[in-house]
Amino acid sequence: MQLILRPYQPGDIENLVKHANNFNISKYLTNKFPFPYEKKDGEAFIQLALSHDPLQIKAIVLNDEVIGSIGVHQLADIYSKSAEMGYWIAEDFWGRGIIPLAIKEMLQYGFATFDIDRIFARTTHTNLASQRVLQKSGFIFEAKLKGTIFKNGAYFDELIFGFRKNQLI
């Protein structure tokens, strides 16, 4: 298995759309991640991913195929020492230990690249797999906000997990 994180490339569009066009992925992400996920969505996303300097979003690539995405986004103002991490992976690759490897690499990248002390991730109370992945990756449960997420006509609790720079080994 050859797993790498790298900048998106225009040629990634076909695999990106193939894997992103999945309700089981979009239901756990913000509404910026549409379903159905079409070529125009993938083109706009690749353009966005490549627009940041330094890079904030990377493609998750397994054996030369884009199978997901991971990003670290520094916040501003009084939150400037924190960054939010977000990720998704194609359903065919769930449960194979790929996301913890990608998270570990992005933690290293995020703390080396941005002037931050904390990286956090948010998930819903129903996304048990993401909760397990974050805990397995060393994130610590920080907060539960009742009913703050509204997606697909339903309310969800928001769970926040954090990782501090001093946790890096």
Side-chain angles (χ1 to χ4, degrees):
M1 173 171 84
Q2 185 187 7
L3 178 72
I4 62 167
L5 303 185
R6 64 156 170 77
Y8 273 93
Q9 301 167 357
D12 293 332
I13 189 72
E14 185 179 321
N15 285 326
L16 173 61
V17 172
K18 175 177 83 171
H19 293 303
N21 188 28
N22 183 328
F23 178 77
N24 289 329
I25 293 170
S26 70
K27 72 180 180 181
Y28 291 121
L29 302 176
T30 69
N31 290 333
K32 290 180 186 176
F33 193 99
F35 180 79
Y37 196 100
E38 300 172 353
K39 185 176 181 182
K40 66 179 174 56
D41 302 310
E43 290 168 343
F45 179 76
I46 289 174
Q47 186 175 18
L48 171 71
L50 295 175
S51 72
H52 301 114
D53 186 21
L55 203 64
Q56 296 178 17
I57 301 168
K58 294 187 178 190
I60 301 171
V61 181
L62 181 66
N63 302 328
D64 298 321
E65 179 181 359
V66 171
I67 61 165
S69 187
I70 189 164
V72 172
H73 309 277
Q74 186 176 11
L75 304 183
D77 199 3
I78 62 173
Y79 301 105
S80 65
K81 293 296 185 177
S82 289
E84 182 171 7
M85 178 181 281
Y87 52 84
W88 66 270
I89 190 166
E91 188 172 8
D92 292 345
F93 299 93
W94 289 0
R96 294 195 191 176
I98 294 169
I99 285 293
L101 294 173
I103 287 173
K104 183 178 179 182
E105 187 173 326
M106 277 305 273
L107 286 170
Q108 296 284 344
Y109 173 80
F111 288 121
T113 304
F114 303 101
D115 183 18
I116 56 174
D117 296 315
R118 172 179 167 262
I119 295 176
F120 70 96
R122 299 185 267 190
T123 188
T124 64
H125 72 281
T126 58
N127 191 343
L128 302 178
S130 196
Q131 292 171 44
R132 282 192 301 272
V133 161
L134 290 167
Q135 291 169 327
K136 181 178 179 179
S137 300
F139 281 71
I140 296 166
F141 176 72
E142 293 181 342
K144 178 179 184 177
L145 306 176
K146 297 285 288 172
T148 57
I149 296 173
F150 185 75
K151 177 86 177 182
N152 297 324
Y155 286 96
F156 298 89
D157 296 344
E158 176 181 9
L159 305 183
I160 302 171
F161 293 82
F163 191 103
R164 303 286 172 159
K165 187 174 190 175
N166 63 9
Q167 291 175 247
L168 284 179
I169 298 171

